[in-house]
Amino acid sequence: MARSVGGVRGERDRIYVPYLLPALLIYTFLFIAPAAVTIWYSFTKWQGLGTTAHYNGLANYRAMLTNSVFLTAFRNTLILVVIGGAFVFALTFLTMVVMREMRGRAFVRSMLFVPCILSPIAIGTAVGFLLNPDGALNQVLSDVGLHSLTRGWLGPDLVFKCIIAAVVWISTGFYVAIMMSRVDAIPEDLYETARLAGANRLEQFRYITFPLTRDALSTGAVLWVIGAVKTFEIVIAFTGTAGNPPIQARSAAVEQYLAVTGGVSGTPELGSAAAIGVVMFLLTAVLVVALRRLLRSEAVEL
Amino acid sequence: MNPSTDDPAPAGTARARAAKRRPTPGKRAIDRLDALLGGAVKTGLWVWVAMLVVLTVWVVVTSLKTNGEVFTDPFGLPKSPQWRNYRLAWSVSGFGQAAFSSVTVVAAAALLTMVIATPAAYVLARVNRRSADRIITYFAIGMGIPAQALVVPFFLMSNDLSTFMTDWVTGWWDDRISLALIYVVLSLPFTVYLLTMYFRSLPTEIEEAAAVDGAGPTRTFVEIMVPLARHGLVTALVLNIVALWNETLFVLIVVGDPQQRTLPAALLELYNTMQYTSNWGGLFAGIVILVMPMILLYLWAGRRIVQAMTQGAIK
């Protein structure tokens, strides 16, 4: 008898384990297990290779709640996720209001996406040069008589605002692409009807585009949180790794990098670095679950 | 909420009524505001695009200037293009070496990821077992775990691996091999997930026909499914190449010798010496060297990259 369809399934079942096993083992033992071991390290004091780890309970976590350097790093990361996210999605919504019927929209969309595939180190180096105290931006400002507007853009007071602006500028194109690919799927006659009923663009957005892209918004918001919590490159590109970045500029990921490498002159604190990693994971998990709850909606079927 | 079910009246009559309704003065003011806002946003988008183009052109132009010109005339054209900036960046500032490291590490890691992920994704997409669904979720969890949760163990493991290989096995070790292995591990969850979704979107009839013709499952996979899934496989490969090309954190942590580091780290290294060397033209040449391959990749596979990154994200 020729092999039946059921036979195909049976055959495939035979390759199930051997095909799956390499990926599953690597993922389990080199991804999940190390992540779990990080939790154990986070309860130790460990000053790097060649020294031994000593169990010290919750001391690393307690330090994070009391040490102003850690607190600043986590506050910065949280500000970046919340404020930066508000800007990213506000800009994305504004774009969604007009982009559907805009001339040259395919070109604009593909251009906005470009910064997402470029190294943040490269972008940060170039933009950082413009923002330097004696850099081009201040030069231009004083040349056109706006000397009062010149600032130490990358100085302690403003640097984190510049970092947020850069992250927003780099990543918004990605979220525009996500949301617009969903907008593309909305049938044109819905907008046609709305226009006949006298609905303007904002009303069309409010009653058609927004409700019909809720699920993409929920995914986009989750991706934003996962990405923004990890913000690292742009900070060190703006501040350099020659000296330690100023405390005001540090994100949690930068603080962890300094803890692993010991920074410029210090000793590594591997236990504390592990604790930062754990808190970053928890932060991601809590925000993702909260967002999922917040943005949950019954699926809209067309 | 579905807007068309808002109104209990049949859609046709509602539409007709609405069309006849005269706009009130308030409504007209809102419409004007709406038109104003629309114009402003469109202009804003074009300004945004222009900024991108200007910044890119400015970086390329600056990379061809002398150090003096970079500062005295930041927005002018160079008197004569300084191609030596590129030559010096390539040979003296180590961008040649770094480009070699980037290309080999990224290529090896991206290909090895595909070799491991593709068969797994294929069976996960095709086998009707409850465990398959659970394992897909298990891989998806990895996409939400920040790499920072792995920094300390990877730092220690790569050190142990280097010591172990040097002392007991080969007598030498290259941290770039550890880096490539770390990249494979980090890319695995996303790649398995994306490819599983892709294999699910492919029709099953062809495999069934192949089985009827007597092809075993391995032959079906290698000779039929892999070529059939070519588009999805190339997309996954390209996405991993983009992500790994720009990766910086693990290079800095795992690769001890600055000479062996990849391009983003080489650029940082050069940036940090600027206050002593002020080789600004060379710095911008380095930026172009780091960014240009991704721009070319985007020109070649842009639509595919955007589609996979956005739709892969939504599914």
Side-chain angles (χ1 to χ4, degrees):
Chain A
M1 194 186 98
R3 273 177 257 201
S4 67
V5 172
V8 180
R9 296 240 172 82
E11 292 273 281
R12 250 196 244 126
D13 276 12
R14 261 205 344 234
I15 60 168
Y16 180 53
V17 173
Y19 274 41
L20 181 60
L21 214 53
L24 196 59
L25 289 179
I26 291 173
Y27 176 62
T28 303
F29 287 105
L30 294 177
F31 195 113
I32 296 297
V37 171
T38 301
I39 299 173
W40 155 246
Y41 289 146
S42 74
F43 297 123
T44 65
K45 181 165 184 61
W46 192 2
Q47 301 192 301
L49 302 165
T51 67
T52 39
H54 297 287
Y55 176 78
N56 73 342
L58 290 170
N60 292 324
Y61 292 98
R62 224 174 290 130
M64 255 186 272
L65 289 174
T66 48
N67 184 324
S68 70
V69 177
F70 285 122
L71 283 176
T72 308
F74 274 103
R75 191 182 327 116
N76 279 345
T77 297
L78 209 56
I79 289 174
L80 183 86
V81 172
V82 176
I83 310 280
F87 274 105
V88 165
F89 285 96
L91 288 172
T92 303
F93 289 149
L94 281 176
T95 308
M96 288 162 71
V97 172
V98 301
M99 202 182 235
R100 223 175 37 81
E101 26 104 38
M102 182 180 170
R103 234 176 301 140
R105 56 184 173 274
F107 174 73
V108 172
R109 231 160 106 174
S110 59
M111 284 300 287
L112 292 188
F113 198 83
V114 170
C116 326
I117 59 152
L118 301 183
S119 163
I121 300 285
I123 297 175
T125 311
V127 176
F129 177 78
L130 291 173
L131 298 180
N132 260 336
D134 44 354
L137 180 62
N138 281 346
Q139 220 171 310
V140 169
L141 284 175
S142 33
D143 283 354
V144 297
L146 293 169
H147 194 80
S148 56
L149 285 181
T150 58
R151 296 273 187 292
W153 299 101
L154 299 181
D157 296 340
L158 282 177
V159 64
F160 204 74
K161 289 183 183 128
C162 288
I163 287 167
I164 293 177
V167 171
V168 170
W169 186 76
I170 290 171
S171 26
T172 299
F174 177 66
Y175 299 94
V176 168
I178 289 186
M179 299 303 288
M180 285 308 295
S181 80
R182 180 50 55 100
V183 172
D184 286 343
I186 301 175
E188 180 55 35
D189 55 329
L190 281 180
Y191 290 101
E192 197 73 39
T193 312
R195 261 196 302 278
L196 282 173
N200 60 35
R201 265 186 295 237
L202 280 176
E203 288 163 339
Q204 288 171 32
F205 177 79
R206 162 84 180 77
Y207 293 108
I208 303 175
T209 314
F210 187 73
L212 292 181
T213 52
R214 276 283 290 274
D215 53 340
L217 175 63
S218 151
T219 317
V222 166
L223 289 177
W224 162 260
V225 166
I226 291 174
V229 169
K230 293 192 284 198
T231 303
F232 170 72
E233 281 103 333
I234 194 77
V235 178
I236 56 170
F238 271 1
T239 58
T241 50
N244 290 342
I247 291 163
Q248 294 90 333
R250 294 180 197 170
S251 64
V254 171
E255 195 55 48
Q256 186 196 38
Y257 170 74
L258 295 174
V260 174
T261 57
V264 170
S265 53
T267 354
E269 290 286 352
L270 295 181
S272 150
I276 295 175
V278 171
V279 175
M280 284 175 70
F281 168 68
L282 291 177
L283 187 65
T284 307
V286 167
L287 288 174
V288 165
V289 170
L291 272 174
R292 282 276 186 213
R293 285 270 161 86
L294 193 72
L295 297 172
R296 187 166 48 194
S297 62
E298 62 279 32
V300 178
E301 291 296 334
L302 285 171
Chain B
M1 142 187 109
N2 190 331
S4 63
T5 58
D6 256 8
D7 193 335
T13 53
R15 231 178 275 183
R17 232 188 304 128
K20 269 183 234 144
R21 195 164 43 202
R22 308 222 102 202
T24 60
K27 168 81 173 148
R28 238 175 305 161
I30 291 175
D31 284 355
R32 252 204 314 277
L33 191 74
D34 180 79
L36 212 64
L37 178 80
V41 175
K42 278 182 200 170
T43 316
L45 284 171
W46 282 108
V47 169
W48 191 320
V49 170
M51 267 169 72
L52 265 163
V53 174
V54 168
L55 185 68
T56 312
V57 172
W58 174 76
V59 166
V60 174
V61 170
T62 307
S63 76
L64 295 170
K65 286 179 174 174
T66 64
N67 284 327
E69 286 170 329
V70 170
F71 277 99
T72 51
D73 188 13
F75 299 109
L77 288 173
K79 276 213 189 65
S80 65
Q82 302 290 311
W83 296 105
R84 61 190 287 272
N85 286 343
Y86 283 85
R87 241 184 1 258
L88 290 179
W90 194 260
S91 53
V92 179
S93 309
F95 279 88
Q97 239 166 1
F100 170 78
S101 298
S102 273
V103 170
T104 44
V105 169
V106 170
L111 287 173
L112 190 55
T113 304
M114 297 305 293
V115 169
I116 297 166
T118 310
Y122 173 61
V123 291
L124 284 175
R126 284 296 194 248
V127 169
N128 271 322
R129 287 197 192 171
R130 220 191 301 146
S131 66
D133 283 333
R134 289 202 191 128
I135 291 170
I136 293 168
T137 312
Y138 177 56
F139 274 107
I141 291 170
M143 294 193 287
I145 297 180
Q148 276 75 13
L150 296 163
V151 163
V152 174
F154 280 0
F155 171 67
L156 299 167
M157 283 156 80
S158 66
N159 260 298
D160 290 347
L161 181 65
S162 168
T163 316
F164 176 76
M165 296 303 279
T166 314
D167 291 355
W168 299 98
V169 187
T170 51
W172 62 276
W173 188 247
D174 191 322
D175 287 334
R176 286 172 288 188
I177 306 174
S178 314
L179 184 66
L181 294 175
I182 287 172
Y183 283 174
V184 172
V185 174
L186 290 175
S187 317
L188 210 50
F190 170 73
T191 314
V192 168
Y193 188 76
L194 186 76
L195 289 178
T196 305
M197 296 303 129
Y198 188 76
F199 275 118
R200 277 197 174 160
S201 73
L202 295 177
T204 56
E205 288 85 358
I206 303 166
E207 289 155 278
E208 275 147 21
V212 173
D213 285 350
T218 305
R219 238 187 86 199
T220 310
F221 172 69
V222 174
E223 288 178 17
I224 297 169
M225 289 317 286
V226 169
L228 195 66
R230 203 176 44 233
H231 183 83
L233 297 179
V234 172
T235 305
L237 185 71
V238 168
L239 289 185
N240 282 332
I241 289 174
V242 172
L244 296 180
W245 184 265
N246 296 330
E247 204 286 330
T248 316
L249 175 62
F250 286 97
V251 190
L252 295 177
I253 285 180
V254 168
V255 183
D257 180 359
Q259 307 271 312
Q260 295 185 336
R261 289 182 177 170
T262 53
L263 283 170
L267 182 62
L268 265 180
E269 181 88 14
L270 184 61
Y271 189 38
N272 290 333
T273 63
M274 268 311 113
Q275 53 194 116
Y276 318 109
T277 61
S278 15
N279 173 17
W280 294 97
L283 182 76
F284 280 84
I287 296 177
V288 175
I289 293 172
L290 168 57
V291 156
M292 201 44 79
M294 290 304 102
I295 292 188
L296 293 177
L297 196 65
Y298 190 66
L299 287 176
W300 173 65
R303 185 157 349 137
R304 185 182 261 184
I305 294 174
V306 177
Q307 232 172 34
M309 279 174 83
T310 55
Q311 283 167 11
I314 288 173
K315 273 170 194 160

